[in-house]
Amino acid sequence: MYASGDIKHVHGAVVFDRYSRIHQVIGIPAPPGFIPAIPKYEPCKRLTPWSRAGIGFCRILVEYTPAGVEDSARRLGMEMRFDGLYNARMPYLRLEDVTLYTHPQYALEQVYRQGHPQVLKTLYRIARSLEKLPIRGLGLTGSLATLTYNPLHSDIDIVVFEALDPAGLVETLETLGRPELDTIEYVGPLRGSYRVGWRRRLVDGKRVTFVAAPREPGSMCKPLSTYWTIDPPAAKAVETRLYIPPGQPSALHYPPCAHSEEGVWIVSFEYNVALELFEGGEFRVTAEAGSKGHALYVGVRGLETGIQRV
């Protein structure tokens, strides 16, 4: 059991609540006493690929859509608070309801102590590849962090904390195994084709995904430093053309965030936009505009947004 004051949440952490349901933490700032988290699994009695200590877990979240997240959270009775940027009510766990909190770095230590030999082999290979890069640490999220890993169904989900040489991180990951897929084509609220092969790899035949994250939620993104005092933006998309200087470290960390030459910040709540923002260039941006015009938000709920290179 963790006391409420002991938890300083980071992106990719996993938590169990008092009903043994599993949630994955989102790396955005949170109001006092709450933790932003997506409900993913709950105990169940039917046969399931995921289990821990003899207890089976069934997936709660059917699809990663605004409606899917909200439906799952409401069904579980989670606290829903309106978020002006997402233009929707977001799920939050009360800290007093958290019974187990697993930081990604602790999860990695846990797997090193008692992990499956094949998983350890893959993790050692990844660690050796990344050891010369200036990073603040590695961690695990997903099923390995919750101890529900199934080698036939589960990915290896890795969190890289504060990649101080983000270009080196991208180059290194692109030498690991081969890409699971090259691009993702979005047709929902996020529009466009985004390159994901750099972070979704097949290593030793295992699906491995990578995400870079700061140690403090939103700490690399100026618009998020005042997340809970932002004036609610207009609930409509605007379109503009911007030049984004390449190589900004904040662009590769969740949530991806980059500053344009025109003095506007672009923030994405969908991580697969990261490489485009990091490589920079001239873009046509369709986004929700902050009320003062200094920030544009991509991947928000209920609006069609995206970035397209021109």
Side-chain angles (χ1 to χ4, degrees):
M1 170 74 77
Y2 284 75
S4 298
D6 294 339
I7 298 176
K8 196 171 184 66
H9 79 272
V10 297
H11 186 70
V14 296
V15 295
F16 283 74
D17 66 18
R18 64 177 67 221
Y19 304 104
S20 296
R21 298 176 301 210
I22 302 173
H23 309 256
Q24 185 158 317
V25 176
I26 309 168
I28 58 175
F34 291 90
I35 187 167
I38 296 175
K40 297 192 70 174
Y41 299 95
E42 64 181 344
C44 61
K45 294 182 179 179
R46 65 181 176 83
L47 186 63
T48 171
W50 305 281
S51 64
R52 172 182 171 131
I55 300 173
F57 287 86
C58 291
R59 194 171 182 88
I60 301 170
L61 188 65
V62 178
E63 55 181 17
Y64 280 94
T65 64
V69 171
E70 185 163 352
D71 287 347
S72 298
R74 286 188 180 281
R75 184 166 63 83
L76 298 182
M78 290 179 65
E79 179 82 16
M80 300 291 291
R81 291 192 166 202
F82 184 77
D83 185 310
L85 298 185
Y86 276 87
N87 192 34
R89 292 174 66 81
M90 292 283 290
Y92 289 90
L93 268 178
R94 294 180 302 175
L95 288 179
E96 62 193 61
D97 289 334
V98 173
T99 57
L100 179 64
Y101 170 92
T102 302
H103 190 286
Q105 288 181 288
Y106 175 79
L108 180 61
E109 295 170 6
Q110 181 175 255
V111 169
Y112 275 149
R113 289 195 301 267
Q114 57 192 56
H116 187 279
Q118 184 59 45
V119 171
L120 289 174
K121 176 184 173 184
T122 302
L123 289 176
Y124 286 143
R125 178 179 173 184
I126 292 168
R128 285 197 300 270
S129 296
L130 299 180
E131 65 183 357
K132 294 182 180 179
L133 291 176
I135 58 179
R136 300 272 188 217
L138 288 178
L140 290 175
T141 184
S143 58
L144 281 171
T146 60
L147 300 182
T148 59
Y149 180 79
N150 184 320
L152 297 179
H153 299 274
S154 301
D155 297 349
I156 297 175
D157 300 295
I158 293 182
V159 182
V160 179
F161 285 106
E162 295 186 14
L164 303 180
D165 174 15
L169 175 64
V170 173
E171 292 172 4
T172 301
L173 295 184
E174 288 179 335
T175 66
L176 275 169
R178 58 187 176 86
E180 180 194 359
L181 70 168
D182 294 317
T183 61
I184 287 183
E185 188 77 34
Y186 287 100
V187 295
L190 181 70
R191 296 277 177 166
S193 179
Y194 301 97
R195 292 152 55 211
V196 298
W198 70 278
R199 62 173 295 255
R200 297 182 59 167
R201 313 292 295 177
L202 290 171
V203 183
D204 297 334
K206 301 297 299 180
R207 295 190 307 272
V208 184
T209 63
F210 295 86
V211 60
R215 287 183 175 276
E216 299 285 337
S219 62
M220 300 188 76
C221 182
K222 186 176 179 180
L224 296 189
S225 64
T226 55
Y227 192 82
W228 289 100
T229 60
I230 296 172
D231 293 331
K236 63 179 182 180
V238 300
E239 186 173 302
T240 188
R241 188 165 170 161
L242 300 170
Y243 179 79
I244 301 173
Q248 298 179 55
S250 60
L252 216 63
H253 294 76
Y254 187 88
C257 180
H259 193 246
S260 76
E261 274 193 348
E262 296 78 5
V264 178
W265 286 89
I266 302 92
V267 185
S268 175
F269 293 106
E270 166 52 61
Y271 187 67
N272 285 329
V273 173
L275 188 61
E276 276 71 22
L277 290 179
F278 178 69
E279 290 187 339
E282 194 85 21
F283 288 94
R284 182 179 296 108
V285 181
T286 305
E288 185 173 48
S291 59
K292 297 180 181 178
H294 300 312
L296 297 173
Y297 301 97
V298 176
V300 298
R301 300 175 178 225
L303 292 176
E304 291 186 2
T305 62
I307 63 172
Q308 181 181 1
R309 195 179 297 277
V310 294

